[in-house]
Each structure stands twice: as C-alpha cells, then as structure tokens.
Amino acid sequence: MSCTFRSTTKQGQYRLPCRVQWNDPGAQYVLVEKEKLPRFPFSIDQEGNIYVTQPLDQEEKEAYVFYAVAKDDDGKPLAFPLEVHVTVEDINDNPPTCPSAVTVFEVQENEKLGSNIGTFTAHDLDKENTPNSLLTYQIVEQVPQIPVDGLFLVEKFEGKFQLGKQSLKKQDAAQYNVTVEVSDKDFKTLCLVQINVIDINDQIPIFEKSDYGNLTLAEDKGVGSTILIIRATDADEPLTGSSKILYRIIEGDSEGRLEVDTDPQTNVGYVKIKKPLDFETAPISHIVFQAENPEPLVSGVTYNASSQAGFWLIVTDVNEAPVFSQPTFQATVSEDAPVGTKVGNVTAKDPEGLDVSYSLSGDKRGWLRIDSTTGDIFTKALLDREAESVYRVQVVATERGRSSLRSTSDFHLILQDVNDNPPRLAKEYTGLFFCYPLTAPGSHVFEATDDDQMSFRGHHFTFSLGSESLKKDWDVSKINGSHARLSTKHTNFEEKVYDISIRINDGGRPPMEGTVSLPVTFCSCVEGRCFRPAGRQSGIPTLGTAVAILLITFLVIGIILAVVFIRIKKNKNKNNVEDAQAPEATPLRS
C-alpha cells in the first residue's frame, strides 16, 4: 500500500490519506518498522487510520517503509503484515544560501566589455530540479559607484558575472563590493561578492629629467663608487612588477664600466663604477639610460623617449703605473741549461705611453737576469731542480720619467729534471753488526735512492762491491729496484769494524754511479745485542787502557794533594819564626 504526504515542519498529528482494515471486527492494529530509524513518526488507531505524529522533512528523508499488522485479542497475527510505503513530497521550506560569507572574483584593468568575470552559484536545500530550488540572481548594490554605477551584470539564472559598461582602472577603485539578491519562488537572500581589480603594466616609467648634465671624474676613481643618482616614476600599482623600475645603460658604455643599482622601495637608481675608468681609451662618453619594468607592457604600450635619460662622462688623466700583459708569466727550461740561456720574456705598457724599464725582485739564488729594455730573461748561473723545482721571482716594470711609478708581475720558471745526481744510501746505516765470533754466514739489507725524479732513476739500481779485494769476504745481491743484500761469505772475521764500499748505478741517461760505504761491526753480544765495539775499534779504548787511564788519574790527584800539603806546612813554620823575632810591646803610659 502506498501513501503520499507533503513535508511539514509543524508539530501536530496529521492523518495520512491511507487506511488498513481487517474483515472481522475486533482486530487490533499495530505498526512495525522495517528499518531502524532514529525516530518513527507514524501511529495507527483501532480504525486502521495511519497518522503522522512528528514533522516530516523531505530533505531529511524522502520515503518511509513499514508494516501494518492486524492481531486478535491474544496478540496473534490474523494475516501476513501489510507493507506500507509513504512518500514525502517536497515543499518550499528552505531559503537560498550563499556559497560563502564573501565570494571573491578578480578582473584585470583591460578586460573588455562582456568579459566573464566569474560565476556566482548559490544553494537551495529544497528538491533539485523543482520550482522550489530554482534560483534567480540580481545585483542590488555596487560599492563604490565609481566611476559609474552598474559596472557589472549578473545572468539571471546562471549567475555569470560580466563587465557591463566599461573596462576598469585600478586608479579609480582597487575593489568593488557587490550585493546580489538570490531568490526562489518564496524566499530571498542577500549575498556579498567582492571584485578585486588587478593592475596591468599599462604605464611606462618616466624620468624626472632627461639630461643629468656633465660629470667629470679622475680615471682612478675607485671601483664601487656611486657617481650619480637618477630617478624615474611609474603610475602602475606600487611595489609590483608593473611599477618596479630597472635601469639599463643602452649607449656610451660598451666596455661595461658602469652599473646601476635600484632601490626596490623608492625606484631610485645609483650609478656606480663597475670597472676602472680609462682616460686613454674613453676620455668623453655620452651615457644613456633606459628605465624599464620587469613585467612586460600590455599590447599597444611601448617605451619611448620619456623612459630615457643621459649624461656626459668626462674622464681626466691620472699618471698610472705600467700594466703587465698578464699577472703571471711562466716558462720551462732544463736544469742543465747553459748560463746565458734565454728562458722567457715579459711585457708591460705604460698607459701614458712612457718607456718602461724592467728589473727582477726576489732572485734569492741569483739564477736569472733580465734585459731592462726588452724584458727578456736569461740564466746567469747554473740551475738545480733538486734545490727548487719551480723558481719564483717578481718582475718589476718602472716607467721612465715622471714619478717612476712601478708595478709587478710574477715569473715562474719550471725546471725540467736531468739525471745529474748519483745514487746514495736512503739513510745512514750505523747500526749494522754481527755477533762475534760469527757462527754462520749472515746478511744485512740496505736501500738506495737519489735526488733525481722517478723518470731518471728508472727504479732499477744495480749494486756491486767497490773493490776486487772485498769479493773474497763479501757478496752483494740485488733484491729489487731499490734494495740490496750485503752477505758474508764465511765466518772467519775479526772483532772490529769493516767499512764495505759498494757501487750503485742508477741506469739513467746518462747513467750516474755513486760509491757508498757501509760500516759493519763484529762485536761480542749479550742476548743478541752488541755488548761493545771490537777491542781495536778506532777511538774506543779497551778495558786495559781504561784501567791504566784510571790509575794515572788517581796518581796525578795524589801528587797534587801532596804538594798542597807540603806548601801549607812550610807556610805554618815560617809564621812561627816571624812571631818569635818580633820586639816585645811597650805598654802606654798616661
């Protein structure tokens, strides 16, 4: 069974246009929920009439389904439950609502008439696509009404906003507050729309004056100095890309000597020296500035002469020191170059065109000389890469005449190595020893090196004994390119120091050979360590000699003490004799 009831928000009991009835009298009627609801707004009387007991809201629930049951006096069902469908019809009980407290649209200054600014959409909780939810829109107020009222239009049913009379200018008003009346067939609601006007770059910067006159500066004016302040203004919105001004030098400074910094708050331009000025190359220049915006101009607007200004820069001459063609000069030469070899050349020019004289400074080893007129550099002594692989000196250029100003540059002479150093021992070997008496042949390892570069050493030293006489007692054998082993050939050695001469060849081009001496000591040992040098080792006394020296020392000390004792005794006796011969003293009388 189906029933239809119009929604209502009023309290009270309303009879539905539907009724249930059992054929036999005395039946009891009850309603049973088909679904569990927060509230069940229906009841039934004993006549089978169904009532609405609470307000219904179509927006809350559009339909209800429940059962009507007929029971006898004992509460037993008389038949199967009857399913009841109640449909709630919508009524216009909800006013339109605004989408937000304030709806914000933006529009550029140059928007054309009829341009779509945005769509305003209100809401209605009544059933969609029915006359109860059909909304209409109307603008009822514009604030401010500048330059005229009615600047905006809104489409009646869709809510589209458009420009209605003319394009906007932010100078007139930066913001408009528009009140929109939204209506359905019974209700009206007022909503607020805020329209912000966005500035566009339709104004060019204009200089306060086009000619900043003449500016005279000495050519040694410091880099970074501010030499001029310029200013242009822009009528676009302040502190935006449309009104910010950048100054560009478009004429008269091809060398990039100047730059302009802009104060972002005031748009004031500070002209500064970026590179040193030069009287000799640009004594007079006409500098022209262009004032521009970071944001591009709108179509149809271009920069013109109002955005340009200039001044005359006059540079005066200052006596300047010579200038080297480069800050550092470098040359390479073999370390065995003969004295008088030309190794390089330096050049410097005086800005005023004066002649330049060259000299050297810091030539601590006295290896070089320079031609004072040409700047050619020669060796004046033999070079040595092992002493200094890169020889650094300073070249001084002095102008001839006037104030004799000077400037300096570095000269680096790189020395290429030649094989001019014989091999030598890598360290001093003073602790080589064998325990005496030698019970079995032994050996010691030693290392060789030289002062030349690796490429000349070849890493392949060869080793041999320094004389034929050593071969009967000793043997030297190569371990690798830098190490060798000195070995005894027998055990019959004396307790002393042996100096073994060894020849070491580096195999270079040309080969270099050095003879070194390895001292090897045969000595008595205690727990594997040399107790003392051999008895006849030069410069070291034996035990007997040490005892004799000690006895002699004691003897000398005894003689000295005896002499001193005798002299003291003689002096004492002499004093006694003198006392006996002295006259007897006469007492004083008054």
Side-chain angles (χ1 to χ4, degrees), residues 120 134-137 154-160:
F120 179 80
L134 178 63
L135 303 180
T136 60
Y137 303 91
V154 63
E155 203 278 329
K156 182 176 181 179
F157 292 102
E158 295 183 358
K160 291 181 180 179

Side-chain angles (χ1 to χ4, degrees), residues 225-277:
S225 301
T226 297
I227 61 174
L228 183 65
I229 297 177
I230 59 178
R231 186 193 304 269
T233 58
D234 194 298
D236 288 308
E237 182 181 1
L239 303 177
T240 66
S242 298
S243 63
K244 182 179 180 181
I245 297 177
L246 301 177
Y247 299 96
R248 184 167 58 93
I249 299 175
I250 61 173
E251 186 180 315
D253 188 29
S254 59
E255 298 296 326
R257 297 166 296 164
L258 305 179
E259 63 181 353
V260 185
D261 289 342
T262 304
D263 187 319
Q265 301 298 320
T266 64
N267 277 337
V268 169
Y270 298 92
V271 184
K272 298 181 178 181
I273 297 178
K274 183 180 180 181
K275 296 180 180 179
L277 305 178

Side-chain angles (χ1 to χ4, degrees), residues 86-346:
V86 177
T87 301
V88 182
E89 288 187 344
D90 184 46
I91 62 173
N92 190 22
D93 58 348
N94 291 285
T97 59
C98 304
S100 60
V102 179
T103 299
V104 179
F105 295 142
E106 292 183 343
V107 59
Q108 286 189 335
E109 285 183 312
N110 64 340
E111 285 289 345
K112 297 179 181 179
L113 290 179
S115 295
N116 185 16
I117 297 174
T119 300
F120 179 80
T121 303
H123 304 287
D124 194 303
L125 294 178
D126 292 314
K127 189 173 182 179
E128 293 183 4
N129 302 320
T130 67
N132 296 332
S133 60
L134 178 63
L135 303 180
T136 60
Y137 303 91
Q138 180 183 359
I139 295 176
V140 296
E141 186 179 24
Q142 170 193 309
V143 178
Q145 297 177 358
I146 299 174
V148 294
D149 193 14
L151 286 173
F152 308 100
L153 300 176
V154 63
E155 203 278 329
K156 182 176 181 179
F157 292 102
E158 295 183 358
K160 291 181 180 179
F161 266 73
Q162 296 176 318
L163 279 177
K165 288 188 177 180
Q166 65 182 61
S167 296
L168 306 178
K169 287 188 175 296
K170 192 161 187 176
Q171 291 89 338
D172 295 334
Q175 178 181 297
Y176 291 91
N177 294 315
V178 178
T179 303
V180 180
E181 181 183 85
V182 185
S183 306
D184 62 17
K185 66 178 185 176
D186 296 312
F187 299 97
K188 294 181 179 180
T189 302
L190 296 180
C191 297
L192 183 61
V193 175
Q194 178 179 301
I195 301 175
N196 295 327
V197 181
I198 300 175
D199 183 52
I200 59 172
N201 194 14
D202 58 352
Q203 302 292 322
I204 64 173
I206 298 176
F207 270 99
E208 61 179 4
K209 56 183 179 180
S210 60
D211 186 0
Y212 282 87
N214 300 338
L215 182 61
T216 301
L217 298 174
E219 64 177 333
D220 61 352
K221 185 72 172 178
V223 172
S225 301
T226 297
I227 61 174
L228 183 65
I229 297 177
I230 59 178
R231 186 193 304 269
T233 58
D234 194 298
D236 288 308
E237 182 181 1
L239 303 177
T240 66
S242 298
S243 63
K244 182 179 180 181
I245 297 177
L246 301 177
Y247 299 96
R248 184 167 58 93
I249 299 175
I250 61 173
E251 186 180 315
D253 188 29
S254 59
E255 298 296 326
R257 297 166 296 164
L258 305 179
E259 63 181 353
V260 185
D261 289 342
T262 304
D263 187 319
Q265 301 298 320
T266 64
N267 277 337
V268 169
Y270 298 92
V271 184
K272 298 181 178 181
I273 297 178
K274 183 180 180 181
K275 296 180 180 179
L277 305 178
D278 189 2
F279 169 82
E280 286 71 28
T281 59
I284 300 177
S285 304
H286 185 239
I287 309 298
V288 179
F289 304 103
Q290 172 86 31
E292 300 175 346
N293 302 128
E295 290 290 333
L297 297 173
V298 297
S299 177
V301 179
T302 58
Y303 297 107
N304 55 39
S306 298
S307 300
Q308 295 181 1
F311 76 101
W312 286 95
L313 176 61
I314 302 171
V315 180
T316 59
D317 189 26
V318 174
N319 187 24
E320 299 170 278
V323 179
F324 279 96
S325 59
Q326 57 195 69
T328 302
F329 296 86
Q330 183 171 296
T332 301
V333 67
S334 177
E335 67 171 324
D336 62 349
V339 174
T341 301
K342 179 180 176 180
V343 295
N345 173 266
V346 297

Side-chain angles (χ1 to χ4, degrees), residues 369-426:
R369 68 176 179 85
I370 188 169
D371 188 303
S372 63
T373 302
T374 64
D376 293 334
I377 300 176
F378 304 87
T379 63
K380 71 172 184 179
L382 294 177
L383 308 176
D384 185 4
R385 188 206 68 85
E386 287 69 42
E388 286 200 49
S389 60
V390 180
Y391 192 53
R392 296 175 172 87
V393 297
Q394 276 194 329
V395 184
V396 182
T398 306
E399 66 178 13
R400 299 177 188 263
R402 287 198 184 181
S403 58
S404 299
L405 293 179
R406 60 177 55 193
S407 58
T408 61
S409 179
D410 292 323
F411 180 76
H412 295 171
L413 183 61
I414 301 173
L415 302 183
Q416 293 180 326
D417 193 31
V418 297
N419 194 29
D420 58 350
N421 288 279
R424 57 179 175 81
L425 292 175

